[in-house]
Amino acid sequence: MSLQQHPNIDTAVRYHQAVSDFATGEELAAFFHPDASHHELPNALFPDGNIRDLAGLCAAAEAGRTGLSAQSFEVVNALAVGDQVALEVLWTGTTAAPMGDLPAGHTLRAHIATFLEFRDEKIIAQRNYDCYDRLTPS
């Protein structure tokens, strides 16, 4: 799908591609303002949700590298108004090791609404609403 491009949408899509490729450290941090925050609303994997600063985001990315053997983000739709971007994203991930009742090699899938706020061409705030498919073994 060809998305109508806005500079912040370009950045948001490149950011999601970098996360798909398991970017960590400086490569990941380059997308974010130093004062960035990420708010993950409660979902099937994180029932209490999460709020992370930039260091927490980078730590979560490192942890993702060990829990997943592959992942991809497909940006289905994007809207931008000023410094705000809304994305509709389809995420798939393959477990690298057993996760609860799920075996290694299990494919996870989530439909995600992501809202990004930009400052100085960097992400200053991210809010995720992750809607996971049922987490049951195949």
Side-chain angles (χ1 to χ4, degrees):
M1 165 183 263
S2 175
L3 300 170
Q4 183 178 2
Q5 297 303 307
H6 176 284
N8 292 338
I9 291 176
D10 289 338
T11 300
V13 171
R14 285 187 295 106
Y15 158 57
H16 279 79
Q17 183 57 54
V19 174
S20 289
D21 295 337
F22 293 105
T24 58
E26 289 182 21
E27 182 182 3
L28 180 63
F31 289 98
F32 290 92
H33 188 280
D35 297 328
S37 66
H38 177 263
H39 187 181
E40 182 176 10
L41 281 291
N43 59 62
L45 294 183
F46 299 99
D48 296 324
N50 274 308
I51 298 176
R52 299 180 179 101
D53 60 8
L54 185 53
L57 277 164
C58 290
E62 281 291 339
R65 292 180 119 179
T66 60
L68 298 171
S69 61
Q71 69 176 339
S72 67
F73 289 84
E74 177 190 350
V75 177
V76 177
N77 202 353
L79 297 168
V81 176
D83 290 333
Q84 307 256 345
V85 172
L87 300 176
E88 178 184 2
V89 179
L90 176 61
W91 173 82
T92 56
T94 305
T95 57
M99 188 171 99
D101 292 337
L102 303 176
H106 183 81
T107 299
L108 301 168
R109 184 175 156 126
H111 306 270
I112 302 171
T114 299
F115 297 88
L116 304 168
E117 184 178 335
F118 287 78
R119 181 185 301 158
D120 302 327
E121 301 176 1
K122 303 279 187 180
I123 300 166
I124 183 76
Q126 178 176 349
R127 207 169 51 257
N128 273 47
Y129 298 84
D130 302 345
C131 184
Y132 287 88
D133 287 357
R134 187 176 299 274
L135 299 176
T136 55
S138 310

